[in-house]
Amino acid sequence: MTAIANRLDGAVADVENANIARIYDYYLGGLYNFAIDRQKAERIKLTLPSVDLLARGNRDWLRRSVRYLVAQGVEQFIDIAAGLPTANNTHEVAHALNPRARVIYVDNDPSAVIHGEEILAKEPLVAMAEADGRHPEQVWAHPAIRDLIDLSQPVGIILGGLLVFVPDEDDPKGLVAAYRDALAPGSYLAISHLTADTVDAETRGQVDRMVAAYQAGVGATLHVRDKATFASWFEGMELVDPGVTLMADWRPDPGLDLDAQTPSRQLGYGAMGRIAG
Ligand SMILES: C[S@@+](CC[C@H](N)C(=O)[O-])C[C@H]1O[C@@H](n2cnc3c(N)ncnc32)[C@H](O)[C@@H]1O
């Protein structure tokens, strides 16, 4: 990768400061990160040693969700708060099963978008969209969405990294409902979220310190939520079997439970809702 990626409009990625998307890529074992990202990632990892397994568990859940959606006939995907399109992300999983699938990655971080555009330069059916996922109207209005996505047909929306950044006062449930209400029947919303419902006091302390380390390291406030709150976001949708579960328990691949022995297994919920016809 080039150290600084140029866009046609002359924008450049910020490679001086650590970046959430690149820290995440580092946790996933990706190569799209810089020394400053790795340094901050290791500092965060001191607070919650299994934080990289949590990221991998989240990505594994996402891959299983995309596979499920392709099997249901969904051909268009919008992955909101996607981070980088690396490490076997949505388009790679979808295209392995259906090369005609169209995928838009949405992120509000210009650096993630610049890197992503560079990575996706040779992918005609995949694009990055710079938009704030807290404002669905920004997402729908983006030229990449208008070009590649037909909202009159079923869409798979993935919110695997957004709501953890949305405070209660910004109404995460209302935000999910706004996405739900804009989608055609037969569409799906797949959501994962950070939780600490069932962990012991020691792990809860680690999660709290991890949240503080993200705040100190990259200025992002993460929100931890309980199962009832998470489940309430699926109002008005049919929950896909097996309903609201830990991410690792959502349609697991037999024998592939990477973090079975670590506390990170308890730290994420995953579920998918279908918009009925
Ligand atoms: C943890 S990373 C990506 C996780 C990825 N979705 C996955 O599940 O594997 C979270 C991403 O969310 C992005 N993000 C945070 N707030 C956002 C917002 N309001 N709109 C769009 N993207 C956002 C960050 O820039 C970051 O790239």
Side-chain angles (χ1 to χ4, degrees):
M1 130 179 112
T2 52
I4 296 184
N6 286 293
R7 277 204 300 197
L8 289 178
D9 61 7
V12 292
D14 176 3
V15 296
E16 304 296 329
N17 296 297
N19 166 286
I20 302 177
R22 296 192 307 249
I23 288 175
Y24 200 78
D25 179 67
Y26 174 66
Y27 288 148
L28 294 177
L31 300 173
Y32 229 92
N33 47 74
F34 297 100
I36 183 73
D37 305 307
R38 297 190 282 276
Q39 213 179 70
K40 289 275 160 74
E42 286 298 336
R43 200 166 301 165
I44 293 167
K45 197 163 183 269
L46 290 177
T47 62
L48 176 68
S50 59
V51 66
D52 51 347
L53 292 177
L54 178 59
R56 286 168 192 233
N58 191 39
R59 182 56 62 85
D60 286 342
W61 164 85
L62 176 144
R63 293 183 189 121
R64 297 195 305 276
S65 299
V66 172
R67 283 196 339 244
Y68 175 85
L69 289 171
V70 175
Q72 306 316 302
V74 174
E75 295 204 317
Q76 28 181 21
F77 296 84
I78 308 177
D79 185 342
I80 300 178
L84 297 171
T86 56
N88 203 11
N89 211 334
T90 301
H91 76 287
E92 293 159 287
V93 176
H95 281 172
L97 299 167
N98 179 358
R100 293 188 314 279
R102 280 118 52 215
V103 179
I104 306 288
Y105 292 104
V106 175
D107 208 288
N108 68 343
D109 172 0
S111 287
V113 173
I114 292 169
H115 292 311
E117 286 175 342
E118 186 183 51
I119 294 163
L120 298 172
K122 295 197 168 76
E123 297 280 353
L125 299 180
V126 190
M128 291 296 300
E130 186 177 331
D132 187 333
R134 290 169 301 181
H135 300 290
E137 67 286 354
Q138 261 190 37
V139 174
W140 308 134
H142 195 283
I145 303 264
R146 297 167 77 100
D147 279 358
L148 281 177
I149 303 293
D150 176 357
L151 285 173
S152 71
Q153 296 300 312
V155 180
I157 298 236
I158 299 152
L159 302 177
L162 178 65
L163 296 159
V164 73
F165 297 108
V166 179
D168 289 349
E169 42 293 12
D170 286 353
D171 189 16
K173 184 176 175 184
L175 179 56
V176 173
Y179 280 112
R180 177 199 68 204
D181 292 346
L183 296 176
S187 296
Y188 293 82
L189 267 166
I191 311 177
S192 64
H193 204 281
L194 180 65
T195 189
D197 273 358
T198 60
V199 295
D200 57 21
E202 187 191 341
T203 308
R204 176 73 221 206
Q206 291 180 340
V207 170
D208 290 343
R209 287 191 289 281
M210 185 265 290
V211 169
Y214 260 102
Q215 182 74 62
V218 287
T221 308
L222 304 184
H223 300 275
V224 181
R225 296 208 162 91
D226 64 20
K227 190 172 188 176
T229 303
F230 179 74
S232 74
W233 297 342
F234 292 88
E235 205 173 272
M237 292 179 252
E238 294 168 353
L239 267 180
V240 170
D241 196 47
V244 173
T245 64
L246 291 173
M247 293 185 304
D249 292 331
W250 199 87
R251 298 180 168 264
D253 289 324
L256 278 182
D257 196 349
L258 292 180
D259 58 348
Q261 305 304 323
T262 76
S264 68
R265 193 180 193 287
Q266 311 294 325
L267 295 180
Y269 286 126
M272 189 187 284
R274 180 177 184 277
I275 286 91

